[in-house]
C-alpha cells in the first residue's frame, strides 16, 4: 500500500520545535547535574552555567516556534488547529498560545527560566549560587519533561505541542486528514468563545509569573 504524499505541510517547523524541546530537557538535566557536582568540584561550574544558558535559549526557541506556527496558521499541527483559526483577531491568536495544556506548561517554563537567568546572574560567584541553581535547574528538568510527549512503556511523559494533526491519537482517524491535500481548505477550531476576552490575554501570563 502506497504511503500518502501530503501536500503543503511545513514539517520543518515541527522538527525545529521538537529539536528545541529535546535540547531544553537535556540542557536542564546537564545544568542540574553540573551544578550539583560543582559543590565539591568547582571545575563543573562553568559547564553548569553554560548548560543553563543553553536551556534558556532553547525555551525561547520553543516559544518562538509555537508563536510562528500560530500566527501563520500552520493547521497541520494539532495545537494550532485545535486552538486557533483564521477569523480570530491577533490578540486572541496570542491567547491561543496558553489556552492549551502544552502552552500553559511552556508559559510556566518560560517565566521560570527568565527568573532563573536573573538568579544566575545575581548569585554568580556567591556562596548561594550552587545550591540555589541546583534546585532551580531540577525544577526546570521537570517542567521541560512536560513538553516531551514520549512513552516509556505504557507511561506517557508530557504532551508535545508540535504533534501533527494526522498523527494525534484523537484525530488521526478523521477522514479529511487522510486526503493528500487536506490543508487546502482547512481552518482551525478556534479559541473557546468563553475565553475570547481581554482577560484571557493578560491573566495567564501574570498568573504563571506568580507561580
Amino acid at each position: 500500500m502506497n504511503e500518502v504524499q501530503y501536500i503543503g505541510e511545513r514539517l520543518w517547523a515541527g522538527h525545529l520545535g521538537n529539536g528545541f524541546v529535546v535540547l531544553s530537557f537535556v540542557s536542564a538535566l546537564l545544568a542540574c547535574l553540573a551544578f550539583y557536582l560543582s559543590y565539591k568540584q568547582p571545575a563543573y561550574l562553568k559547564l553548569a552555567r553554560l548548560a543553563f544558558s543553553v536551556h534558556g535559549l532553547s525555551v525561547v526557541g520553543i516559544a518562538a516556534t509555537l508563536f510562528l506556527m500560530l500566527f501563520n496558521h500552520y493547521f497541520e499541527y494539532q495545537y494550532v488547529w485545535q486552538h486557533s483559526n483564521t477569523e480570530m483577531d491577533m490578540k486572541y491568536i496570542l491567547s491561543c498560545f496558553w489556552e492549551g495544556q502544552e502552552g500553559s506548561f511552556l508559559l510556566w517554563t518560560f517565566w521560570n527560566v527568565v527568573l532563573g537567568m536573573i538568579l544566575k546572574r545575581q548569585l554568580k560567584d556567591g556562596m548561594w549560587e550552587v545550591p540555589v541553581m541546583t534546585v532551580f535547574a531540577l525544577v526546570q528538568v521537570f517542567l521541560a519533561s512536560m513538553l516531551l510527549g514520549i512513552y516509556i512503556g505504557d507511561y506517557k511523559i508530557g504532551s508535545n505541542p508540535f504533534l501533527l494533526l494526522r498523527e494525534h491519537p484523537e484525530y488521526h482517524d478523521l477522514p479529511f486528514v487522510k486526503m493528500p491535500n487536506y490543508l487546502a481548505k482547512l481552518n482551525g477550531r478556534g479559541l473557546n468563545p468563553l475565553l475570547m476576552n481581554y482577560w484571557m490575554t493578560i491573566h495567564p501570563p501574570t498568573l504563571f509569573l506568580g507561580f
Side-chain angles (χ1 to χ4, degrees), residues 195-207:
L195 300 178
M196 295 184 70
N197 59 73
Y198 68 94
W199 288 112
M200 182 61 182
T201 307
I202 63 173
H203 176 64
T206 54
L207 178 67

Side-chain angles (χ1 to χ4, degrees), residues 16-31 51-59 61-62 144 148:
L16 181 63
N18 282 316
F20 281 129
V21 167
V22 173
L23 182 60
S24 169
F25 177 77
V26 171
S27 56
L29 184 59
L30 178 60
F52 196 87
S53 296
V54 171
H55 170 68
L57 291 173
S58 61
V59 171
I62 298 169
L148 287 175

Side-chain angles (χ1 to χ4, degrees), residues 71 85-96 196:
F71 289 146
N85 60 35
T86 55
E87 284 78 41
M88 295 168 59
D89 292 340
M90 191 57 66
K91 61 182 178 182
Y92 296 132
I93 294 290
L94 183 67
S95 301
C96 294
M196 295 184 70

Side-chain angles (χ1 to χ4, degrees), residues 7 19 27 38 44 74 82 93 99 120 150 156 163 191 205:
I7 301 170
S27 56
S38 67
Y44 283 101
Y74 288 5
Q82 187 167 359
I93 294 290
E99 186 198 14
K120 183 167 72 74
I150 61 174
K156 184 180 180 183
L163 194 62
L191 194 68

Side-chain angles (χ1 to χ4, degrees), residues 111-149:
W111 279 132
N112 245 41
V113 85
V114 168
L115 295 176
M117 297 299 284
I118 294 172
L119 270 177
K120 183 167 72 74
R121 184 181 179 87
Q122 294 296 321
L123 297 173
K124 189 174 182 180
D125 297 322
M127 63 179 293
W128 290 106
E129 180 184 9
V130 170
V132 170
M133 292 307 299
T134 299
V135 175
F136 208 97
L138 180 60
V139 172
Q140 289 304 105
V141 171
F142 284 104
L143 289 176
S145 71
M146 294 178 182
L147 298 177
L148 287 175

Side-chain angles (χ1 to χ4, degrees), residues 2-14:
N2 293 329
E3 209 175 304
V4 177
Q5 298 296 316
Y6 293 99
I7 301 170
E9 289 184 334
R10 277 82 33 130
L11 299 180
W12 64 266

